[in-house]
Amino acid sequence: MKLSIQNLSKTYANGTQALNNISLTIPQGMFGLLGPNGAGKSTLMRTIATLQDADTGTIMLDDLDVTTNKQAIRERLGYLPQDFGLYPRINAEVMLDHIAQMKGVGNKKDRKYLVESLLNKVNLYSHRKKALGTYSGGMRQRFGIAQALVGNPSLIIVDEPTAGLDPSERNRFYNLLSEIGENTIVILSTHIVEDVSTLCSNMAIICAGELLMQGKPKEGIASLKSRIYKKAVEKEALESYKSDYQVISTKLIEGRLSLRIESDNDPGNGFEPAQTDLEDVYFSHISRKVDPITL
């Protein structure tokens, strides 16, 4: 099973080109889509989810054309958008039962079994009688996954799922997504590099509507081996270093900036080799389109 995207473009009425000739092949498993805010990730997710049309291009789920078979795709799709509405006074059990009915599960006993199994899967069964408005951020996200799993989808899209979660809730969510990704296509759209490095065996980076990289995270890291250097400098010296080196990221540590640069050769001048990670891959690619320091 795979999702094939070919030459997808989308320009909004205000002239913003959200997608520029995007082509991607997404296999079964966890697939990470990385990019800064405004990169076009949500536009791509909404287009795959049949919530909007592209100007040009095709999307195929195996041999099913997403753009011309929208209802068939929706029956195979689970979608957790970045912001999804919940009725705050309704409990999880009732809400999930209602969603199951809308998904075509007509038999009451089948629906009861489905609701119970999904709430157990996302570890919310003991909270099933609580109003959704009382749920924490992590509980809301887990409920969002439960509703996305109704109908046993073959394609699941989750858009910025861990934003705002505390570390323990994020870990629970990681474990849940990893389990789901064993048997289906899961597209994880995020600007948090840790999400992709923890969960995904394949990934892509988009920025300003363009595809900058696709492949395996470990391949991206290998491509930058021996090319990343670091140095601590005073904050006031940043602009000077940006003019002389390809600065891809900075972190303020104890009042000083830790610079990371990309260079084909040892730059000297106090720089030392750094252990490459996926964050370097991310910043290396987006720095070709935007200034990552000012994002």
Side-chain angles (χ1 to χ4, degrees):
M1 184 168 54
K2 67 178 180 179
L3 185 74
S4 300
I5 300 166
Q6 291 294 322
N7 307 118
L8 206 68
S9 292
K10 175 69 177 180
T11 300
Y12 290 111
N14 63 3
T16 300
Q17 187 171 35
L19 300 174
N20 183 10
N21 200 34
I22 297 288
S23 293
L24 272 173
T25 299
I26 301 176
Q28 182 172 309
M30 292 290 301
F31 186 93
L33 184 66
L34 269 175
N37 292 329
K41 302 187 305 298
S42 292
T43 297
L44 180 57
M45 296 301 96
R46 288 196 300 269
T47 305
I48 296 171
T50 74
L51 298 178
Q52 65 180 40
D53 294 325
D55 299 329
T56 60
T58 61
I59 307 173
M60 302 289 294
L61 181 60
D62 288 337
D63 58 354
L64 190 62
D65 189 331
V66 172
T67 57
T68 58
N69 296 276
K70 293 183 179 180
Q71 186 55 42
I73 290 297
R74 289 167 184 165
E75 291 173 1
R76 300 176 63 179
L77 173 71
Y79 185 41
L80 175 57
Q82 185 173 358
D83 298 304
F84 68 101
L86 294 173
Y87 294 97
R89 297 182 181 179
I90 296 178
N91 70 44
E93 190 175 48
V94 171
M95 188 67 195
L96 206 55
D97 180 82
H98 177 64
I99 293 170
Q101 288 186 64
M102 292 193 296
K103 281 274 193 170
V105 185
N107 185 280
K108 187 174 181 180
K109 288 184 178 180
D110 291 345
R111 212 164 52 243
K112 185 177 188 310
Y113 175 79
L114 174 64
V115 168
E116 288 180 355
S117 64
L118 287 175
L119 289 173
N120 274 308
K121 188 179 189 69
V122 299
N123 197 27
L124 287 176
Y125 186 76
S126 61
H127 304 283
R128 66 192 184 280
K129 300 294 186 183
K130 293 181 180 178
L132 293 169
T134 67
Y135 276 19
S136 68
M139 292 167 71
R140 286 170 58 90
Q141 291 295 75
R142 281 186 276 143
F143 179 82
I145 284 292
Q147 63 82 26
L149 290 175
V150 174
N152 195 28
S154 53
L155 170 63
I156 297 174
I157 297 170
V158 286
D159 194 358
E160 301 286 355
T162 65
L165 300 187
D166 64 41
S168 60
E169 286 284 14
R170 179 173 291 178
N171 284 337
R172 291 190 194 102
F173 204 68
Y174 284 161
N175 292 335
L176 178 58
L177 287 177
S178 294
E179 181 182 345
I180 294 168
E182 293 177 0
N183 301 305
T184 189
I185 298 172
V186 180
I187 304 175
L188 171 65
S189 173
T190 183
H191 67 282
I192 301 174
V193 177
E194 182 186 358
D195 289 353
V196 174
S197 62
T198 301
L199 293 170
C200 301
S201 54
N202 290 279
M203 64 173 288
I205 298 173
I206 67 171
C207 185
E210 295 186 9
L211 178 66
L212 304 183
M213 175 264 184
Q214 61 178 311
K216 297 183 180 298
K218 62 182 181 182
E219 294 172 348
I221 293 171
S223 72
L224 288 180
K225 186 177 180 181
S226 303
R227 294 178 59 196
I228 303 298
Y229 297 83
K230 63 182 180 179
K231 181 181 179 180
V233 304
E234 300 300 326
K235 290 185 290 183
E236 296 77 12
L238 175 60
E239 290 304 316
S240 174
Y241 279 92
K242 285 175 65 177
S243 66
D244 294 335
Y245 303 96
Q246 186 181 346
V247 178
I248 62 171
S249 66
T250 64
K251 287 183 180 178
L252 188 61
I253 302 174
E254 296 181 351
R256 302 191 79 200
L257 279 180
S258 176
L259 300 185
R260 294 176 81 88
I261 69 168
E262 183 179 350
S263 176
D264 293 331
N265 308 108
D266 188 338
N269 193 23
F271 281 96
E272 59 184 47
Q275 184 74 33
T276 307
D277 57 27
L278 193 60
E279 193 168 273
D280 294 320
V281 177
Y282 172 69
F283 283 122
S284 171
H285 282 87
I286 68 168
S287 66
R288 301 169 193 174
K289 299 293 296 182
V290 298
D291 182 357
I293 311 302
T294 60
L295 285 177

